[in-house]
Amino acid sequence: MTPHRRRLLLAAATTLALTGAGAGAAYADPPPDAPEQIENGDFSAGVSPWFSYGTDALTVTDGRLCTTVPGGLANPWDAGIGQDGVPLIAGAEYTLGFDISATPGTAVKAVLQLGSAPYTTYAAVDAAATGTAQRFEQTFTVPDDNPGAQLIFQVGGSAAAQTVCLDDVSLRGGEPPEPYVPDTGPRVRVNQVGYLPGGPKNATVVTEATQPLPWQLRSAAGAVLASGTTTARGVDEASGQNVQTLDFSSYRTPGSGLTLTVDGETSHPFDISGTLYNQLRSDSLQFFYAQRSGIAIDGDLIGDEYARPAGHLDVAPNQGDTNVPCQPGVCDYSLDVRGGWYDAGDHGKYVVNGGIATYQLLNTFERTKTAATAAGGAALADSTLRVPERGNAVPDILDEARWELEFLLRMQVPAGKPLAGMVHHKIHDRNWTGLPLAPEDDPQPRELHAPSTAATLNLAATAAQCARLYAPYDAAFAARCGTAAKTAYSAAKAHPAVYASPTDGTGGGAYDDSNVTDEFYWAAAELYLTTGAQTYLTDLTASPHHTADVFDSRGFGWQSVAALGRLDLATVPNGLPTADVTRIRASVTTAADAYLVELRRQAYGLPMPGDANSYFWGGNSNVINNAVVLATAFDLTRDVKYRDGAVQAMDYIFGRNALNISYVTGWGEHAAQNQHSRIFGHQLDPSMPRPPAGSIAGGPNAALQDPFVAKLLAGCEPMFCYVDDINSYSTNEVAINWNSALAWISSFLADQGDSGAVPATTCSVRYDNYGTWQGGTGFTAQLTIKNTGTTAVNGWSVRFAFTGDQRVREAWLAKVTQAGATVTAKNESHNAKIAPGGTVTFGFNATTSGGANPNPGLVTVNGGACSLG
């Protein structure tokens, strides 16, 4: 197909149909042993993996794939029905056959081609389709190898509207492919990025040996730095391999280009460094800028190869996101829903995926207010990331999250309309598009899909976060978020069981969820944390999730969000009774303990069970989310076993796995680089970029839910059910909610420095709030700092952060300044010294809008965390 497929002219409709094998002239069967290359060619499994463009939605009617094609399209290739991922072998013979009908009748061309520019044609079959189904076949020899060719039925170009139907589409021939054997490199599997000097250092060895083996750690020059003996682990459940493990944690000297040698094999090189993950924090977050919709991407920020015009702003061939109508029968209005992030490898935007991704970026920032190792958020401050808003006195991570928040707010049903205050579940193309396709070249009409309770509660939760976190930087935006959150929550309570349809998967994922009790709990928790209001407290404490175990062994995700509310209730300062807070925090550490048990049980050291059900679509993000729970347990307790568990869990992501691959682009000696994405289509079109550094692949999926891996990896052991190929969307796609997990843990890892011993606490702080004045718009507070160490403090600087828009008006007995929500108090000349056992006090008056005003959860003195009294 020519590049003109990207242009679509709409006129009167045409419908095409492909029908059963009984119609038309008789034809010879292909050789009985010839392999079939088309997936679901009889449509017995529904529409997938077929896609269309320039047509109405695809449907299966009486066993045939049918659609309506508009009349008046200028060219045959302006509308099409197709399938990607068709493997071809140069010099092999194939027979292409299909049944087709078209009413009232039109010419159709079936083209086997390269699926990207220059759209090289390998074979073509012309068919004069009429109202009666006919069989067409042609045998040909393919000139080129292509493991992922494209079959397209060009159905445009008719003056009249057509109904087209297909059936029994077959491409038989070619030699059966050689069994796929992945190149797994050296049998010694390590974190290819490296290890923190004071952190855990483990590796896995694939070997037939059943007795312990000697190992050596070598420098880049070959010198032996450490040695020891492995531990035999037997056959690993997830990989089916006989493995042994080794632990070289006692070696703590920084170095680069180190390797491990065991059983005659030498690992990929790695580093030991305390700055190992600093760049990953930035890289993992830059993915979101690269995925932005509705803005031109600036190559000066993230590289010239990623520069592109704004997508979906009504510039042809886009039909745009600024005035998007609903699917037929859903609503009678259009909305401006520009902006936001493209969800994954397609150009759709989904509220439930956007919700958890936004939460994790906001929570990454909010953690800087409560975690002792986060240095007050200095590494996420303004002008630290590659975003166009840098330099605006707002932390850059909040700038990035706001791009999605603005989109989420636009998805809310307007006042005066049915279901007002609810939120549309998603917006995406009317039909699936093929690979690759830059956002600005997408010709498909865009549609709003029906509102759902799940989407509405995702907005309620994230907008409530927004209301407290943006208040110190943009009071108007924070207030807008707060209003939207309350409106959405009320709308969800009024319509508690409006579910997204599981069959609404044409042109974009369904993202269906028929249990939203967890979304109600999460939203109530966030609204309570922001407002302190009794109504939300009543709802969250009444929820069965409030006292339930919300931490699944297989992690949390967009469809299971009770853990999000629990983690925030455990970490964000709030007014819950002390006993309740203690129980909530204990639930986090209990879950973390269980993840540590699993991590130690797994020979590849990940906090995830080893059965096939634990390797699913996007499972890499769930592995990381379990690491997030471990990291949060460390933030709460300062117990290094949890920090070490979180650090070690990431070894699996960066190469300590059966495939010996880092799942993060640009990170590791052998890293994924061909993730499924229409935007980053380099594998299919060399003029397009690969995914930017810091993009994570979904990872092994034992269900093999796309035709490419279903053929390639049939019978794979769970950890081997992955291929770094753009055609595998079920194992190798990118997604914002997977990268948000990576961004959260990357920020945590970077904050750990050399991961050394946790310093002892040498101070305690009592924070007294003496109540409000002026109708609740102000309050008075006092801090008393006690030196619990053994040496005198000579000069002190106290730091803490408010949860919302509280602002110090005046202070006494200290020089107090405030930046955003962070307050810094420095001693006066007369009270600079605090003797061991001594105390010092200062106080202040502050203004507030009247939301929640809990005592701070973290107070530091000269950078060291103090215990709170």
Side-chain angles (χ1 to χ4, degrees), residues 432-526:
W432 286 109
T433 55
L435 291 168
L437 184 65
E440 67 273 15
D441 290 332
D442 178 13
Q444 277 285 317
R446 309 276 274 179
E447 293 178 334
L448 286 167
H449 292 245
S452 72
T453 306
T456 304
L457 291 166
N458 269 260
L459 176 64
T462 54
Q465 283 181 288
C466 164
R468 66 177 181 265
L469 293 177
Y470 290 82
Y473 308 101
D474 188 332
F477 180 59
R480 179 181 160 210
C481 284
T483 298
K486 295 171 186 176
T487 300
Y489 189 76
S490 295
K493 291 190 72 173
H495 306 282
V498 179
Y499 304 132
S501 170
T503 63
D504 186 17
T506 299
Y511 286 95
D512 54 301
D513 185 358
S514 59
N515 181 353
V516 296
T517 58
D518 52 327
E519 281 85 358
F520 271 110
Y521 176 65
W522 174 33
E526 298 296 351

Side-chain angles (χ1 to χ4, degrees), residues 539-735:
D539 285 356
L540 81 88
T541 54
S543 169
H545 295 286
H546 191 53
T547 54
D549 180 4
V550 298
F551 298 107
D552 190 273
S553 62
R554 297 184 176 96
F556 58 82
W558 65 267
Q559 207 171 25
S560 53
V561 295
L564 310 186
R566 181 69 58 81
L567 289 170
D568 274 7
L569 288 170
T571 56
V572 179
N574 61 72
L576 286 172
T578 300
D580 214 9
V581 173
T582 299
R583 177 189 59 78
I584 287 168
R585 291 180 172 178
S587 75
V588 177
T589 56
T590 297
D593 287 334
Y595 295 146
L596 287 178
V597 169
E598 190 61 65
L599 179 147
R600 292 163 185 152
R601 192 175 74 85
Q602 293 297 318
Y604 280 106
L606 67 162
M608 184 75 87
D611 62 296
N613 291 332
S614 299
Y615 288 81
F616 46 82
W617 199 321
N620 275 350
S621 70
N622 290 60
V623 172
I624 296 175
N625 286 336
N626 283 352
V628 167
V629 175
L630 286 162
T632 303
F634 170 69
D635 286 342
L636 291 172
T637 67
R638 295 164 58 85
D639 189 328
V640 295
K641 71 178 182 181
Y642 299 124
R643 180 189 66 190
D644 287 353
V647 171
Q648 183 177 334
M650 295 306 292
D651 293 348
Y652 167 81
I653 297 295
F654 291 116
R656 189 189 173 199
N657 53 59
L659 286 165
N660 204 4
I661 189 171
S662 168
Y663 291 110
V664 180
T665 53
W667 285 79
E669 182 80 5
H670 175 51
Q673 59 181 352
N674 296 311
Q675 285 102 323
H676 176 88
S677 168
R678 284 159 179 76
I679 302 175
F680 311 120
H682 181 84
Q683 186 180 359
L684 297 176
D685 183 350
S687 70
M688 301 181 79
R690 299 186 188 277
S695 307
I696 188 169
N701 176 5
L704 300 179
Q705 290 170 278
D706 67 72
F708 188 82
V709 292
K711 295 175 183 176
L712 189 70
L713 303 178
C716 56
E717 297 290 347
M719 206 181 286
F720 280 99
C721 297
Y722 168 85
V723 63
D724 180 26
D725 193 290
I726 196 171
N727 292 292
S728 178
Y729 50 83
S730 72
T731 75
N732 202 36
E733 193 167 16
V734 293

Side-chain angles (χ1 to χ4, degrees), residues 377-402:
L380 293 169
D382 187 28
S383 297
T384 58
L385 303 177
R386 288 159 279 177
V387 295
E389 299 85 2
R390 63 203 323 264
N392 64 352
V394 177
D396 285 346
I397 194 169
L398 293 186
D399 287 326
E400 189 57 71
R402 181 168 179 168

Side-chain angles (χ1 to χ4, degrees), residues 20-274:
Y27 56 92
D29 288 330
D33 60 345
E36 176 61 66
Q37 309 299 344
I38 296 298
E39 182 82 8
N40 191 29
D42 62 359
F43 311 110
S44 60
V47 170
S48 180
W50 295 87
F51 66 86
S52 70
Y53 63 92
T55 75
D56 284 355
L58 297 175
T59 61
V60 177
T61 304
D62 296 328
R64 304 176 300 165
L65 184 72
C66 298
T67 190
T68 299
V69 183
L73 299 180
N75 304 292
W77 52 78
D78 287 342
I81 305 166
Q83 182 172 135
D84 287 323
V86 180
L88 299 176
I89 300 172
E93 189 174 80
Y94 295 85
T95 298
L96 173 64
F98 53 90
D99 294 350
I100 188 164
S101 69
T103 306
T106 189
V108 175
K109 177 176 283 191
V111 182
L112 199 61
Q113 65 178 16
L114 179 68
S116 58
Y119 299 98
T120 303
T121 296
Y122 305 130
V125 177
D126 291 304
T130 67
T132 301
Q134 302 175 71
R135 182 74 183 180
F136 294 87
E137 281 194 354
Q138 184 172 318
T139 299
F140 51 86
T141 300
V142 167
D144 298 309
D145 284 323
N146 189 332
Q150 185 182 74
L151 174 63
I152 288 286
F153 291 90
Q154 296 178 352
V155 295
S158 173
Q162 299 284 335
T163 299
V164 177
C165 295
L166 286 166
D167 201 2
D168 290 334
V169 183
S170 174
L171 182 68
R172 302 281 300 276
E175 293 297 323
E178 292 291 326
Y180 174 69
V181 179
D183 179 6
T184 56
R187 290 185 287 107
V188 183
R189 311 292 161 75
V190 298
N191 180 328
Q192 296 171 26
V193 175
Y195 302 88
L196 301 178
K201 303 175 190 70
N202 295 274
T204 302
V205 184
V206 180
T207 176
E208 295 181 359
T210 57
Q211 297 300 313
L213 299 166
W215 59 262
Q216 291 182 325
L217 174 68
R218 294 180 178 269
S219 70
V224 176
L225 303 174
S227 61
T229 304
T230 62
T231 300
R233 301 293 294 268
V235 176
D236 174 60
E237 178 185 10
S239 66
Q241 300 166 317
N242 190 75
V243 295
Q244 301 199 25
T245 57
L246 65 96
D247 184 339
F248 60 109
S249 302
S250 60
Y251 185 84
R252 298 184 169 220
T253 305
S256 59
L258 281 64
T259 57
L260 281 168
T261 299
V262 193
D263 199 23
E265 292 275 318
T266 299
S267 72
H268 287 305
F270 56 86
D271 296 346
I272 295 177
S273 170

